[in-house]
Amino acid sequence: MAILDSKGRLFGKISILDFGALLVILLVIFGVFLFPGGSGSVAQVGSQTVPIEVDLVVRGLNVRDPEQLYARGFEKGGKTKVIIRNQPYGTIDIKSIQVLPRTILVPQPDGSVKELPDVRSNNFSTDMLLTLQGKAQVTADGPVLGNSKVKIGMPIELDGFNYNFNSTVIDVRLQEK
């Protein structure tokens, strides 16, 4: 009995093409399980983890009573969930919260403009300055939280028990170890 017959079958039973395909599949399975690729994201390659502080500004948050935000963990020393570019990062510490005063520009008779407190009682808009702190990976392109770069001007979504709103990064500070 010949090893290869006139129809291209090995030992008269299996086609040489089928045998080649089976061999390729077995090699792929062997390679996946015995030599898996590196774990983690590309951003973590050649990077170091350092403490980071990120300042955020919230403009025009429509809320009847800003104090209700603080009742469920949105406070200094608390934690909030962060979503960057629709990718959940996880929780991060809130270092500080500063409610910014609402002001209006009032023209003066001499042509100048003064900034005065807004005394309207039906204004349900709040501005805040937040500082978040956590750990970030530092790459050649800048700091990375999760798998997303953190840069000035980018929006970050904050999510908690009774709130979900957007903010904008206005400062990023890396803390040296």
Side-chain angles (χ1 to χ4, degrees), residues 10-39:
L10 292 172
F11 303 111
K13 303 245 183 219
I14 185 168
S15 169
I16 194 163
L17 294 175
D18 292 338
F19 179 73
L22 181 66
L23 185 64
V24 168
I25 291 171
L26 289 174
L27 287 174
V28 168
I29 291 172
F30 177 77
V32 166
F33 287 113
L34 292 180
F35 300 107
S39 62

PDB file of all heavy atoms in Angstrom, residues 10-39:
ATOM      1  N   LEU A  10      -3.799  10.199   1.856  1.00  0.00           N
ATOM      2  CA  LEU A  10      -2.767   9.529   2.631  1.00  0.00           C
ATOM      3  C   LEU A  10      -3.301   8.173   3.074  1.00  0.00           C
ATOM      4  O   LEU A  10      -4.363   8.091   3.692  1.00  0.00           O
ATOM      5  CB  LEU A  10      -2.380  10.361   3.854  1.00  0.00           C
ATOM      6  CG  LEU A  10      -1.658  11.689   3.590  1.00  0.00           C
ATOM      7  CD1 LEU A  10      -1.507  12.479   4.862  1.00  0.00           C
ATOM      8  CD2 LEU A  10      -0.299  11.423   2.979  1.00  0.00           C
ATOM      9  N   PHE A  11      -2.564   7.127   2.780  1.00  0.00           N
ATOM     10  CA  PHE A  11      -2.920   5.755   3.127  1.00  0.00           C
ATOM     11  C   PHE A  11      -4.326   5.393   2.661  1.00  0.00           C
ATOM     12  O   PHE A  11      -5.002   4.566   3.247  1.00  0.00           O
ATOM     13  CB  PHE A  11      -2.789   5.513   4.634  1.00  0.00           C
ATOM     14  CG  PHE A  11      -1.413   5.797   5.163  1.00  0.00           C
ATOM     15  CD1 PHE A  11      -1.195   6.881   6.001  1.00  0.00           C
ATOM     16  CD2 PHE A  11      -0.329   4.994   4.810  1.00  0.00           C
ATOM     17  CE1 PHE A  11       0.067   7.148   6.486  1.00  0.00           C
ATOM     18  CE2 PHE A  11       0.933   5.266   5.297  1.00  0.00           C
ATOM     19  CZ  PHE A  11       1.146   6.345   6.130  1.00  0.00           C
ATOM     20  N   GLY A  12      -4.819   6.079   1.617  1.00  0.00           N
ATOM     21  CA  GLY A  12      -6.118   5.781   1.041  1.00  0.00           C
ATOM     22  C   GLY A  12      -7.288   6.239   1.892  1.00  0.00           C
ATOM     23  O   GLY A  12      -8.431   5.891   1.612  1.00  0.00           O
ATOM     24  N   LYS A  13      -7.053   7.002   2.947  1.00  0.00           N
ATOM     25  CA  LYS A  13      -8.131   7.359   3.865  1.00  0.00           C
ATOM     26  C   LYS A  13      -8.402   8.866   3.926  1.00  0.00           C
ATOM     27  O   LYS A  13      -9.543   9.291   3.905  1.00  0.00           O
ATOM     28  CB  LYS A  13      -7.780   6.890   5.285  1.00  0.00           C
ATOM     29  CG  LYS A  13      -7.508   5.434   5.383  1.00  0.00           C
ATOM     30  CD  LYS A  13      -8.540   4.788   6.223  1.00  0.00           C
ATOM     31  CE  LYS A  13      -8.170   3.310   6.367  1.00  0.00           C
ATOM     32  NZ  LYS A  13      -9.297   2.482   6.319  1.00  0.00           N
ATOM     33  N   ILE A  14      -7.374   9.714   4.082  1.00  0.00           N
ATOM     34  CA  ILE A  14      -7.567  11.144   4.337  1.00  0.00           C
ATOM     35  C   ILE A  14      -6.871  11.962   3.250  1.00  0.00           C
ATOM     36  O   ILE A  14      -5.759  11.640   2.833  1.00  0.00           O
ATOM     37  CB  ILE A  14      -7.059  11.531   5.743  1.00  0.00           C
ATOM     38  CG1 ILE A  14      -7.363  12.987   6.047  1.00  0.00           C
ATOM     39  CG2 ILE A  14      -5.601  11.251   5.909  1.00  0.00           C
ATOM     40  CD1 ILE A  14      -7.170  13.362   7.504  1.00  0.00           C
ATOM     41  N   SER A  15      -7.539  13.002   2.822  1.00  0.00           N
ATOM     42  CA  SER A  15      -6.996  13.880   1.789  1.00  0.00           C
ATOM     43  C   SER A  15      -5.805  14.657   2.353  1.00  0.00           C
ATOM     44  O   SER A  15      -5.795  15.050   3.524  1.00  0.00           O
ATOM     45  CB  SER A  15      -8.074  14.850   1.308  1.00  0.00           C
ATOM     46  OG  SER A  15      -7.518  15.864   0.513  1.00  0.00           O
ATOM     47  N   ILE A  16      -4.817  14.904   1.530  1.00  0.00           N
ATOM     48  CA  ILE A  16      -3.630  15.645   1.967  1.00  0.00           C
ATOM     49  C   ILE A  16      -3.993  17.092   2.320  1.00  0.00           C
ATOM     50  O   ILE A  16      -3.404  17.688   3.211  1.00  0.00           O
ATOM     51  CB  ILE A  16      -2.513  15.578   0.910  1.00  0.00           C
ATOM     52  CG1 ILE A  16      -1.204  16.054   1.509  1.00  0.00           C
ATOM     53  CG2 ILE A  16      -2.834  16.401  -0.306  1.00  0.00           C
ATOM     54  CD1 ILE A  16       0.005  15.662   0.718  1.00  0.00           C
ATOM     55  N   LEU A  17      -5.008  17.675   1.639  1.00  0.00           N
ATOM     56  CA  LEU A  17      -5.466  19.030   1.966  1.00  0.00           C
ATOM     57  C   LEU A  17      -6.144  19.066   3.340  1.00  0.00           C
ATOM     58  O   LEU A  17      -5.943  19.996   4.115  1.00  0.00           O
ATOM     59  CB  LEU A  17      -6.407  19.553   0.884  1.00  0.00           C
ATOM     60  CG  LEU A  17      -5.778  19.792  -0.497  1.00  0.00           C
ATOM     61  CD1 LEU A  17      -6.844  20.191  -1.494  1.00  0.00           C
ATOM     62  CD2 LEU A  17      -4.675  20.824  -0.405  1.00  0.00           C
ATOM     63  N   ASP A  18      -6.958  18.057   3.628  1.00  0.00           N
ATOM     64  CA  ASP A  18      -7.592  17.977   4.936  1.00  0.00           C
ATOM     65  C   ASP A  18      -6.553  17.804   6.037  1.00  0.00           C
ATOM     66  O   ASP A  18      -6.655  18.400   7.115  1.00  0.00           O
ATOM     67  CB  ASP A  18      -8.593  16.822   4.987  1.00  0.00           C
ATOM     68  CG  ASP A  18      -9.808  17.060   4.089  1.00  0.00           C
ATOM     69  OD1 ASP A  18     -10.068  18.241   3.775  1.00  0.00           O
ATOM     70  OD2 ASP A  18     -10.466  16.071   3.724  1.00  0.00           O
ATOM     71  N   PHE A  19      -5.549  16.998   5.770  1.00  0.00           N
ATOM     72  CA  PHE A  19      -4.485  16.787   6.750  1.00  0.00           C
ATOM     73  C   PHE A  19      -3.725  18.101   7.005  1.00  0.00           C
ATOM     74  O   PHE A  19      -3.409  18.432   8.140  1.00  0.00           O
ATOM     75  CB  PHE A  19      -3.523  15.689   6.261  1.00  0.00           C
ATOM     76  CG  PHE A  19      -2.394  15.427   7.196  1.00  0.00           C
ATOM     77  CD1 PHE A  19      -2.603  14.751   8.394  1.00  0.00           C
ATOM     78  CD2 PHE A  19      -1.099  15.873   6.901  1.00  0.00           C
ATOM     79  CE1 PHE A  19      -1.571  14.517   9.271  1.00  0.00           C
ATOM     80  CE2 PHE A  19      -0.061  15.641   7.770  1.00  0.00           C
ATOM     81  CZ  PHE A  19      -0.286  14.966   8.970  1.00  0.00           C
ATOM     82  N   GLY A  20      -3.454  18.873   5.948  1.00  0.00           N
ATOM     83  CA  GLY A  20      -2.760  20.156   6.099  1.00  0.00           C
ATOM     84  C   GLY A  20      -3.586  21.148   6.911  1.00  0.00           C
ATOM     85  O   GLY A  20      -3.073  21.860   7.772  1.00  0.00           O
ATOM     86  N   ALA A  21      -4.891  21.204   6.658  1.00  0.00           N
ATOM     87  CA  ALA A  21      -5.775  22.110   7.406  1.00  0.00           C
ATOM     88  C   ALA A  21      -5.830  21.709   8.875  1.00  0.00           C
ATOM     89  O   ALA A  21      -5.790  22.560   9.773  1.00  0.00           O
ATOM     90  CB  ALA A  21      -7.165  22.102   6.791  1.00  0.00           C
ATOM     91  N   LEU A  22      -5.921  20.406   9.151  1.00  0.00           N
ATOM     92  CA  LEU A  22      -5.938  19.916  10.524  1.00  0.00           C
ATOM     93  C   LEU A  22      -4.633  20.260  11.236  1.00  0.00           C
ATOM     94  O   LEU A  22      -4.640  20.670  12.404  1.00  0.00           O
ATOM     95  CB  LEU A  22      -6.183  18.404  10.527  1.00  0.00           C
ATOM     96  CG  LEU A  22      -6.246  17.738  11.905  1.00  0.00           C
ATOM     97  CD1 LEU A  22      -7.463  18.247  12.671  1.00  0.00           C
ATOM     98  CD2 LEU A  22      -6.268  16.245  11.770  1.00  0.00           C
ATOM     99  N   LEU A  23      -3.520  20.148  10.544  1.00  0.00           N
ATOM    100  CA  LEU A  23      -2.214  20.476  11.121  1.00  0.00           C
ATOM    101  C   LEU A  23      -2.126  21.965  11.468  1.00  0.00           C
ATOM    102  O   LEU A  23      -1.641  22.335  12.546  1.00  0.00           O
ATOM    103  CB  LEU A  23      -1.100  20.078  10.147  1.00  0.00           C
ATOM    104  CG  LEU A  23       0.323  20.247  10.657  1.00  0.00           C
ATOM    105  CD1 LEU A  23       0.578  19.323  11.835  1.00  0.00           C
ATOM    106  CD2 LEU A  23       1.313  19.977   9.546  1.00  0.00           C
ATOM    107  N   VAL A  24      -2.630  22.829  10.596  1.00  0.00           N
ATOM    108  CA  VAL A  24      -2.624  24.282  10.860  1.00  0.00           C
ATOM    109  C   VAL A  24      -3.486  24.606  12.070  1.00  0.00           C
ATOM    110  O   VAL A  24      -3.099  25.392  12.948  1.00  0.00           O
ATOM    111  CB  VAL A  24      -3.085  25.062   9.603  1.00  0.00           C
ATOM    112  CG1 VAL A  24      -3.365  26.522   9.932  1.00  0.00           C
ATOM    113  CG2 VAL A  24      -2.045  24.963   8.505  1.00  0.00           C
ATOM    114  N   ILE A  25      -4.675  24.022  12.165  1.00  0.00           N
ATOM    115  CA  ILE A  25      -5.569  24.264  13.305  1.00  0.00           C
ATOM    116  C   ILE A  25      -4.908  23.816  14.600  1.00  0.00           C
ATOM    117  O   ILE A  25      -4.953  24.519  15.614  1.00  0.00           O
ATOM    118  CB  ILE A  25      -6.924  23.563  13.078  1.00  0.00           C
ATOM    119  CG1 ILE A  25      -7.685  24.262  11.951  1.00  0.00           C
ATOM    120  CG2 ILE A  25      -7.752  23.549  14.357  1.00  0.00           C
ATOM    121  CD1 ILE A  25      -8.929  23.549  11.495  1.00  0.00           C
ATOM    122  N   LEU A  26      -4.288  22.642  14.600  1.00  0.00           N
ATOM    123  CA  LEU A  26      -3.609  22.161  15.804  1.00  0.00           C
ATOM    124  C   LEU A  26      -2.449  23.076  16.206  1.00  0.00           C
ATOM    125  O   LEU A  26      -2.234  23.335  17.396  1.00  0.00           O
ATOM    126  CB  LEU A  26      -3.130  20.730  15.607  1.00  0.00           C
ATOM    127  CG  LEU A  26      -4.223  19.664  15.563  1.00  0.00           C
ATOM    128  CD1 LEU A  26      -3.623  18.304  15.226  1.00  0.00           C
ATOM    129  CD2 LEU A  26      -4.972  19.607  16.876  1.00  0.00           C
ATOM    130  N   LEU A  27      -1.698  23.590  15.248  1.00  0.00           N
ATOM    131  CA  LEU A  27      -0.596  24.507  15.552  1.00  0.00           C
ATOM    132  C   LEU A  27      -1.102  25.824  16.136  1.00  0.00           C
ATOM    133  O   LEU A  27      -0.493  26.378  17.060  1.00  0.00           O
ATOM    134  CB  LEU A  27       0.245  24.759  14.299  1.00  0.00           C
ATOM    135  CG  LEU A  27       1.139  23.610  13.850  1.00  0.00           C
ATOM    136  CD1 LEU A  27       1.797  23.932  12.518  1.00  0.00           C
ATOM    137  CD2 LEU A  27       2.188  23.300  14.908  1.00  0.00           C
ATOM    138  N   VAL A  28      -2.220  26.332  15.620  1.00  0.00           N
ATOM    139  CA  VAL A  28      -2.801  27.563  16.165  1.00  0.00           C
ATOM    140  C   VAL A  28      -3.257  27.347  17.600  1.00  0.00           C
ATOM    141  O   VAL A  28      -2.978  28.155  18.486  1.00  0.00           O
ATOM    142  CB  VAL A  28      -3.960  28.059  15.273  1.00  0.00           C
ATOM    143  CG1 VAL A  28      -4.757  29.151  15.965  1.00  0.00           C
ATOM    144  CG2 VAL A  28      -3.431  28.556  13.942  1.00  0.00           C
ATOM    145  N   ILE A  29      -3.958  26.263  17.861  1.00  0.00           N
ATOM    146  CA  ILE A  29      -4.414  25.968  19.225  1.00  0.00           C
ATOM    147  C   ILE A  29      -3.216  25.799  20.155  1.00  0.00           C
ATOM    148  O   ILE A  29      -3.205  26.330  21.267  1.00  0.00           O
ATOM    149  CB  ILE A  29      -5.324  24.716  19.231  1.00  0.00           C
ATOM    150  CG1 ILE A  29      -6.646  25.031  18.522  1.00  0.00           C
ATOM    151  CG2 ILE A  29      -5.568  24.225  20.650  1.00  0.00           C
ATOM    152  CD1 ILE A  29      -7.534  23.828  18.304  1.00  0.00           C
ATOM    153  N   PHE A  30      -2.209  25.097  19.712  1.00  0.00           N
ATOM    154  CA  PHE A  30      -0.985  24.908  20.496  1.00  0.00           C
ATOM    155  C   PHE A  30      -0.333  26.262  20.800  1.00  0.00           C
ATOM    156  O   PHE A  30       0.071  26.536  21.929  1.00  0.00           O
ATOM    157  CB  PHE A  30      -0.019  23.999  19.713  1.00  0.00           C
ATOM    158  CG  PHE A  30       1.299  23.789  20.377  1.00  0.00           C
ATOM    159  CD1 PHE A  30       1.419  22.920  21.452  1.00  0.00           C
ATOM    160  CD2 PHE A  30       2.437  24.464  19.935  1.00  0.00           C
ATOM    161  CE1 PHE A  30       2.640  22.725  22.060  1.00  0.00           C
ATOM    162  CE2 PHE A  30       3.657  24.279  20.535  1.00  0.00           C
ATOM    163  CZ  PHE A  30       3.767  23.399  21.609  1.00  0.00           C
ATOM    164  N   GLY A  31      -0.270  27.152  19.817  1.00  0.00           N
ATOM    165  CA  GLY A  31       0.350  28.464  20.009  1.00  0.00           C
ATOM    166  C   GLY A  31      -0.443  29.356  20.945  1.00  0.00           C
ATOM    167  O   GLY A  31       0.122  30.099  21.750  1.00  0.00           O
ATOM    168  N   VAL A  32      -1.767  29.293  20.884  1.00  0.00           N
ATOM    169  CA  VAL A  32      -2.601  30.140  21.738  1.00  0.00           C
ATOM    170  C   VAL A  32      -2.485  29.723  23.193  1.00  0.00           C
ATOM    171  O   VAL A  32      -2.366  30.567  24.089  1.00  0.00           O
ATOM    172  CB  VAL A  32      -4.072  30.092  21.265  1.00  0.00           C
ATOM    173  CG1 VAL A  32      -5.000  30.677  22.307  1.00  0.00           C
ATOM    174  CG2 VAL A  32      -4.225  30.812  19.950  1.00  0.00           C
ATOM    175  N   PHE A  33      -2.504  28.433  23.464  1.00  0.00           N
ATOM    176  CA  PHE A  33      -2.501  27.987  24.848  1.00  0.00           C
ATOM    177  C   PHE A  33      -1.109  27.909  25.467  1.00  0.00           C
ATOM    178  O   PHE A  33      -0.951  28.125  26.663  1.00  0.00           O
ATOM    179  CB  PHE A  33      -3.208  26.633  24.975  1.00  0.00           C
ATOM    180  CG  PHE A  33      -4.693  26.754  24.824  1.00  0.00           C
ATOM    181  CD1 PHE A  33      -5.333  26.204  23.724  1.00  0.00           C
ATOM    182  CD2 PHE A  33      -5.447  27.423  25.758  1.00  0.00           C
ATOM    183  CE1 PHE A  33      -6.694  26.312  23.577  1.00  0.00           C
ATOM    184  CE2 PHE A  33      -6.817  27.547  25.626  1.00  0.00           C
ATOM    185  CZ  PHE A  33      -7.444  26.999  24.528  1.00  0.00           C
ATOM    186  N   LEU A  34      -0.092  27.621  24.704  1.00  0.00           N
ATOM    187  CA  LEU A  34       1.241  27.500  25.283  1.00  0.00           C
ATOM    188  C   LEU A  34       2.060  28.782  25.206  1.00  0.00           C
ATOM    189  O   LEU A  34       2.958  28.991  26.013  1.00  0.00           O
ATOM    190  CB  LEU A  34       2.002  26.349  24.626  1.00  0.00           C
ATOM    191  CG  LEU A  34       1.454  24.970  24.933  1.00  0.00           C
ATOM    192  CD1 LEU A  34       2.281  23.899  24.244  1.00  0.00           C
ATOM    193  CD2 LEU A  34       1.418  24.708  26.432  1.00  0.00           C
ATOM    194  N   PHE A  35       1.746  29.654  24.252  1.00  0.00           N
ATOM    195  CA  PHE A  35       2.472  30.913  24.112  1.00  0.00           C
ATOM    196  C   PHE A  35       1.489  32.075  24.006  1.00  0.00           C
ATOM    197  O   PHE A  35       1.396  32.715  22.961  1.00  0.00           O
ATOM    198  CB  PHE A  35       3.359  30.886  22.856  1.00  0.00           C
ATOM    199  CG  PHE A  35       4.377  29.793  22.870  1.00  0.00           C
ATOM    200  CD1 PHE A  35       4.229  28.678  22.061  1.00  0.00           C
ATOM    201  CD2 PHE A  35       5.484  29.867  23.710  1.00  0.00           C
ATOM    202  CE1 PHE A  35       5.160  27.669  22.069  1.00  0.00           C
ATOM    203  CE2 PHE A  35       6.414  28.855  23.725  1.00  0.00           C
ATOM    204  CZ  PHE A  35       6.263  27.746  22.906  1.00  0.00           C
ATOM    205  N   PRO A  36       0.733  32.375  25.086  1.00  0.00           N
ATOM    206  CA  PRO A  36      -0.238  33.472  24.995  1.00  0.00           C
ATOM    207  C   PRO A  36       0.483  34.813  24.879  1.00  0.00           C
ATOM    208  O   PRO A  36       1.615  34.970  25.317  1.00  0.00           O
ATOM    209  CB  PRO A  36      -1.014  33.367  26.306  1.00  0.00           C
ATOM    210  CG  PRO A  36      -0.093  32.681  27.231  1.00  0.00           C
ATOM    211  CD  PRO A  36       0.753  31.757  26.385  1.00  0.00           C
ATOM    212  N   GLY A  37      -0.216  35.793  24.302  1.00  0.00           N
ATOM    213  CA  GLY A  37       0.351  37.135  24.147  1.00  0.00           C
ATOM    214  C   GLY A  37       0.449  37.832  25.489  1.00  0.00           C
ATOM    215  O   GLY A  37      -0.033  37.368  26.522  1.00  0.00           O
ATOM    216  N   GLY A  38       1.095  38.994  25.480  1.00  0.00           N
ATOM    217  CA  GLY A  38       1.232  39.785  26.707  1.00  0.00           C
ATOM    218  C   GLY A  38      -0.123  40.260  27.183  1.00  0.00           C
ATOM    219  O   GLY A  38      -1.006  40.561  26.401  1.00  0.00           O
ATOM    220  N   SER A  39      -0.301  40.325  28.481  1.00  0.00           N
ATOM    221  CA  SER A  39      -1.566  40.791  29.026  1.00  0.00           C
ATOM    222  C   SER A  39      -1.488  42.286  29.276  1.00  0.00           C
ATOM    223  O   SER A  39      -0.425  42.856  29.387  1.00  0.00           O
ATOM    224  CB  SER A  39      -1.885  40.055  30.330  1.00  0.00           C
ATOM    225  OG  SER A  39      -0.883  40.326  31.284  1.00  0.00           O
TER     226      SER A  39
END
